[in-house]
Amino acid sequence: MPKQMFEKDEKVLCFHGELLYEAKILEVTQDSPSDAFQYRVHYKGWKASWDDWVEDDRLRKMNDENRETAQALKRTYHESTQKPAKTTATKKKGQLSDFGSTRGSEERNGSMPTTSRGQKRGRNADIEDEDTFHNRPMIKIPVPDFIKSLLVDDWEEVTKNLSLIPLPAPKPANMIIDEYFDEEKEKRFPGSAEMDLLEEVRSGLKEYFDVALGRTLLYRFERQQYKEAIKAWTEGKGEWKGRTCVGDVYGAEHLCRMIVQLPEMIAQTNMDGQSVNRLREEMTKFLQWLNRNTQTYFTAEYEPTNQDYKDLSRGGN
């Protein structure tokens, strides 16, 4: 049975994006005795409209050790975003390089920050102010309604019905990306800027998926399956033979979970407005194509879990 780790009115540190921010717990709820506690937090110095509902995996006690962790994350963040200036002439073929190298920021089992509910990060005077955040190029990716409904069903299957997507996926993320690339490249001239952009998006999606899967894309109930999957592809037997990374194992559902996180991810890069617009156009085309092929790529049936798995999932996280 979940334990309440934080109290109403308690001052805490809360993960949002890459960083830890000072916050105060305004409200504590629990839907049922078997459900995780939910905490409504207010980020210090921000308007109430940015208040956020989070689980305890995003919260840390306000103590010296966790303050040091917050400072270390701040330093790492600054180092990762300080990149050499590039001229317009030298950036023609690397317009989306920031997208390809962006790192994930959360692990839903509690050791890394989550970006699940809130859309804006809190303010820390040592990092950036609210105006700086809002002046960053933002990206809005129109997700087709049918894919949205599939993601809602996916959430319910895993978190409510305690079922899992069978692994390895017959059509894993890397295969989906490659099949889209092979179809789309026929519409573009070899060596053109449009072809270069398509290749960058292809490599960027694969790279970020590999980094983000274990950090931001798994529900807590899936983490035991993830541990088992790592062992299986490491041994490389049977249907796991030749699968060397998460992009060869997880499929369309997890790929789409990543895509809906892209706005938060892009907000943490140095991409300029022009590159953001081009990325949005490419992702819109990709989602429209995927929407036409959902029966090919999405899981038809989730697999139920036994009591042993449920016990391991609760005990191992």
Side-chain angles (χ1 to χ4, degrees):
M1 183 176 296
K3 180 181 178 182
Q4 182 177 339
M5 303 300 296
F6 301 89
E7 302 293 334
K8 182 177 181 296
D9 296 327
E10 182 176 353
K11 292 182 179 180
V12 296
L13 293 168
C14 183
F15 272 117
H16 208 327
E18 295 278 351
L19 304 168
L20 275 167
Y21 297 93
E22 290 187 26
K24 180 180 179 181
I25 295 175
L26 303 179
E27 188 177 350
V28 182
T29 66
Q30 186 184 32
D31 293 337
S32 73
S34 61
D35 289 331
F37 282 90
Q38 301 283 332
Y39 304 87
R40 186 162 70 92
V41 300
H42 173 72
Y43 295 104
K44 182 179 178 181
W46 276 69
K47 299 174 184 176
S49 57
W50 304 129
D51 291 354
D52 203 359
W53 280 99
V54 303
E55 294 185 9
D56 56 25
D57 58 358
R58 280 179 58 181
L59 299 173
R60 297 294 182 271
K61 292 290 183 180
M62 183 70 78
N63 55 38
D64 291 342
E65 181 181 357
N66 289 329
R67 287 193 186 95
E68 290 177 6
T69 300
Q71 291 299 314
L73 288 171
K74 178 189 70 174
R75 290 192 296 270
T76 301
Y77 174 79
H78 274 305
E79 291 169 1
S80 68
T81 56
Q82 290 175 352
K83 300 181 180 180
K86 297 181 181 179
T87 64
T88 303
T90 61
K91 201 171 181 179
K92 283 188 175 180
K93 192 175 178 180
Q95 293 161 350
L96 301 185
S97 58
D98 284 344
F99 166 62
S101 62
T102 300
R103 299 177 58 193
S105 63
E106 164 239 357
E107 189 172 356
R108 296 186 183 182
N109 71 337
S111 62
M112 291 296 291
T114 297
T115 58
S116 55
R117 295 198 182 197
Q119 296 300 314
K120 304 294 182 183
R121 298 184 301 136
R123 178 174 63 83
N124 185 313
D126 293 332
I127 301 166
E128 65 177 358
D129 57 25
E130 186 173 356
D131 290 338
T132 302
F133 178 83
H134 288 298
N135 286 333
R136 291 174 171 184
M138 299 299 291
I139 178 173
K140 294 182 179 180
I141 301 173
V143 180
D145 288 341
F146 187 60
I147 288 183
K148 287 181 183 178
S149 69
L150 290 175
L151 288 174
V152 172
D153 292 343
D154 172 54
W155 175 80
E156 290 182 347
E157 285 287 350
V158 177
T159 65
K160 301 298 182 182
N161 299 338
L162 302 183
S163 299
L164 295 170
I165 296 172
L167 298 179
K171 294 276 189 177
N174 285 348
M175 181 184 295
I176 295 171
I177 295 167
D178 286 339
E179 290 186 0
Y180 169 74
F181 175 84
D182 290 341
E183 183 175 323
E184 182 66 19
K185 71 179 182 181
E186 300 300 323
K187 306 173 186 177
R188 310 194 187 193
F189 292 106
S192 65
E194 289 77 13
M195 178 59 79
D196 290 343
L197 188 60
L198 180 63
E199 290 175 347
E200 287 188 41
V201 169
R202 177 197 195 186
S203 60
L205 283 174
K206 288 184 177 182
E207 180 181 343
Y208 185 66
F209 189 78
D210 276 346
V211 172
L213 190 283
R215 301 166 66 108
T216 71
L217 306 183
L218 297 175
Y219 296 115
R220 181 174 301 193
F221 191 67
E222 295 175 303
R223 298 210 63 82
Q224 178 62 30
Q225 185 192 36
Y226 176 59
K227 296 175 186 177
E228 296 170 359
I230 293 175
K231 181 180 179 181
W233 88 59
T234 300
E235 293 176 350
K237 298 178 181 178
E239 61 184 346
W240 294 89
K241 186 176 182 180
R243 300 178 189 266
T244 60
C245 63
V246 295
D248 297 329
V249 174
Y250 289 82
E253 291 81 7
H254 292 85
L255 181 59
C256 285
R257 292 184 200 175
M258 181 190 76
I259 290 173
V260 299
Q261 290 184 11
L262 283 180
E264 178 72 18
M265 178 193 74
I266 298 304
Q268 297 178 29
T269 72
N270 290 334
M271 286 179 64
D272 58 39
Q274 185 180 37
S275 297
V276 166
N277 289 335
R278 287 172 175 159
L279 176 59
R280 180 179 61 244
E281 292 171 5
E282 290 296 328
M283 296 313 304
T284 299
K285 291 178 182 178
F286 174 72
L287 285 174
Q288 290 172 344
W289 172 84
L290 189 58
N291 193 51
R292 295 192 297 269
N293 294 279
T294 52
Q295 289 188 338
T296 301
Y297 297 115
F298 281 79
T299 300
E301 292 186 11
Y302 287 66
E303 60 183 15
T305 55
N306 56 34
Q307 191 59 46
D308 287 343
Y309 180 90
K310 293 182 177 72
D311 292 341
L312 284 171
S313 180
R314 293 190 185 101
N317 294 310

